[in-house]
Amino acid sequence: MPDISIITSVREMREWTAAARAEGATISFVPTMGFLHEGHASLMREGRKRGDLLVLSIFVNPTQFGVGEDFESYPRNLSRDSEIARACGVDIIFAPDAREMYPAGFQTWVNVETVSLPLCGASRPGHFRGVTTVVAKLFNIVKPTFAFFGEKDFQQLTVIRRMVDDLNMEVEVVGLPTVREADGLAMSSRNSYLSAAERKSALCLSRALDAASTLYRSGVVSVARMREEVMGILGREPEARIDYVEFRDGENLEERELADDRTVLALAVRIGSTRLIDNVIVGRGITWKEKC
Ligand code: AMP
């Protein structure tokens, strides 16, 4: 099989996508930062099914990283990513460099207000401005029919849906469930930072989410009661340092004191020096292989 084509220039990507659209093709688009895993693969496979053509972008976007965060050390492996992309039926990879996306003189930002503020927006100031700006740029370059995002980054999905609605962007945003390792850990490129011992400690996130959603599904709606359970589980893990534990409405991200079926429990926890996020819609719960 020939190697998959990688486009690095905005102009070429626009030409490719314009030709595809001129032929009436629908375009599925999966934006990522690379170092692909099964979570990304689930988005690519769904994209393959929905659209005539499938575009994957790989871009470690500097503007969504804060000072002192892991932009430099973020894992990268384009040749391995290309293999995975090919196996998932990707037609073209768009992998620009930072100068291509942010040439000298760049000064325009997309900022979604209220839903960008809490949770990761509070812990990582400027993060969502970087995300929405790069996603808006990628949408303008690729002009996709469908764009696929993971619920793993629940707030990001909410923020992007808001941007697409507010700016009347002509793309259908599709959110897909979090893919987990067999023991419950949500897949993430950042899991590669964890030592073997930290990898075990990191299971406290999925255990805490599971315990809270089990309580909810047994009839408990008090957020205080569920929070107590979550704090207990995270607190017993010596390696875990809590960034936030929040119960929010799944659509507008407003804080909740009483849970209902669309309430999301969102966690950000540091395990050693690695910051992990995970979440559950309490009414839906989570499952993983070793639990089934
Ligand atoms: P990233 O490369 O981490 O920026 O992620 C690219 C896309 O993959 C985002 O829409 C993420 O939400 C999604 N994603 C990351 N991890 C997972 C996962 N474990 N399950 C499903 N989607 C994921």
Side-chain angles (χ1 to χ4, degrees):
M1 226 190 265
D3 276 350
I4 196 163
S5 296
I6 300 178
I7 290 180
T8 56
S9 103
V10 169
R11 183 183 53 77
E12 259 184 70
M13 189 66 238
R14 295 182 82 106
E15 283 167 6
W16 190 94
T17 209
R21 288 174 76 93
E23 303 218 325
T26 55
I27 299 172
S28 286
F29 178 46
V30 177
T32 77
M33 299 206 297
F35 211 70
L36 302 177
H37 51 66
E38 267 302 307
H40 299 115
S42 73
L43 307 183
M44 292 188 270
R45 290 194 199 103
E46 188 61 26
R48 182 68 281 166
K49 279 193 230 154
R50 295 251 195 144
D52 299 322
L53 293 168
L54 174 57
V55 179
L56 171 75
S57 69
I58 297 178
F59 179 59
V60 184
N61 174 34
T63 65
Q64 70 189 68
F65 288 79
V67 177
E69 290 188 352
D70 57 345
F71 172 68
E72 297 296 338
S73 56
Y74 196 84
R76 294 160 168 90
N77 190 338
L78 190 55
S79 62
R80 183 171 153 272
D81 286 352
S82 305
E83 288 303 313
I84 296 171
R86 184 168 58 174
C88 292
V90 167
D91 293 296
I92 198 96
I93 296 176
F94 180 49
D97 67 16
R99 261 177 316 171
E100 184 69 7
M101 291 297 276
Y102 299 105
F106 183 90
Q107 55 188 280
T108 303
W109 300 95
V110 177
N111 194 33
V112 174
E113 299 197 344
T114 312
V115 290
S116 291
L117 294 176
L119 309 169
C120 290
S123 323
R124 304 181 67 190
H127 169 67
F128 286 115
R129 183 181 86 146
V131 169
T132 40
T133 300
V134 83
V135 171
K137 282 171 67 67
L138 290 167
F139 283 175
N140 281 334
I141 296 164
V142 176
K143 297 201 179 68
T145 323
F146 311 103
F148 299 83
F149 293 88
E151 288 176 355
K152 158 78 170 39
D153 299 279
F154 195 87
Q155 186 177 16
Q156 170 173 279
L157 176 58
T158 307
V159 167
I160 286 166
R161 284 192 195 284
R162 190 74 257 159
M163 171 184 80
V164 164
D165 273 7
D166 288 353
L167 298 182
N168 308 99
M169 292 177 165
E170 247 185 294
V171 53
E172 184 183 327
V173 173
V174 181
L176 293 171
T178 301
V179 177
R180 296 177 183 281
E181 303 283 358
D183 58 8
L185 181 67
M187 291 199 183
S188 164
S189 308
R190 289 191 168 99
N191 292 348
S192 63
Y193 298 148
L194 300 170
S195 68
E198 289 171 342
R199 170 73 185 65
K200 274 196 192 139
S201 305
L203 292 177
C204 65
L205 280 87
S206 46
R207 272 207 316 273
L209 297 176
D210 188 44
S213 68
T214 301
L215 273 181
Y216 175 76
R217 286 179 298 157
S218 72
V220 174
V221 293
S222 159
V223 159
R225 172 69 194 92
M226 285 187 270
R227 179 188 297 280
E228 188 182 82
E229 186 74 13
V230 169
M231 298 305 257
I233 291 170
L234 299 178
R236 281 193 291 279
E237 184 49 64
E239 286 297 310
R241 275 186 299 129
I242 296 170
D243 178 352
Y244 62 72
V245 171
E246 301 219 24
F247 291 80
R248 298 261 165 177
D249 179 77
E251 297 204 351
N252 56 31
L253 300 187
E254 282 170 11
E255 251 180 313
R256 305 309 310 256
E257 282 174 18
L258 294 178
D260 61 26
D261 278 352
R262 60 179 223 185
T263 300
V264 176
L265 162 57
L267 305 180
V269 177
R270 266 179 209 285
I271 303 291
S273 57
T274 305
R275 182 176 176 279
L276 299 176
I277 58 170
D278 200 351
N279 68 81
V280 66
I281 298 171
V282 291
R284 202 204 282 166
I286 54 174
T287 48
W288 59 83
K289 255 193 204 143
E290 288 173 4
K291 202 175 107 180
C292 295

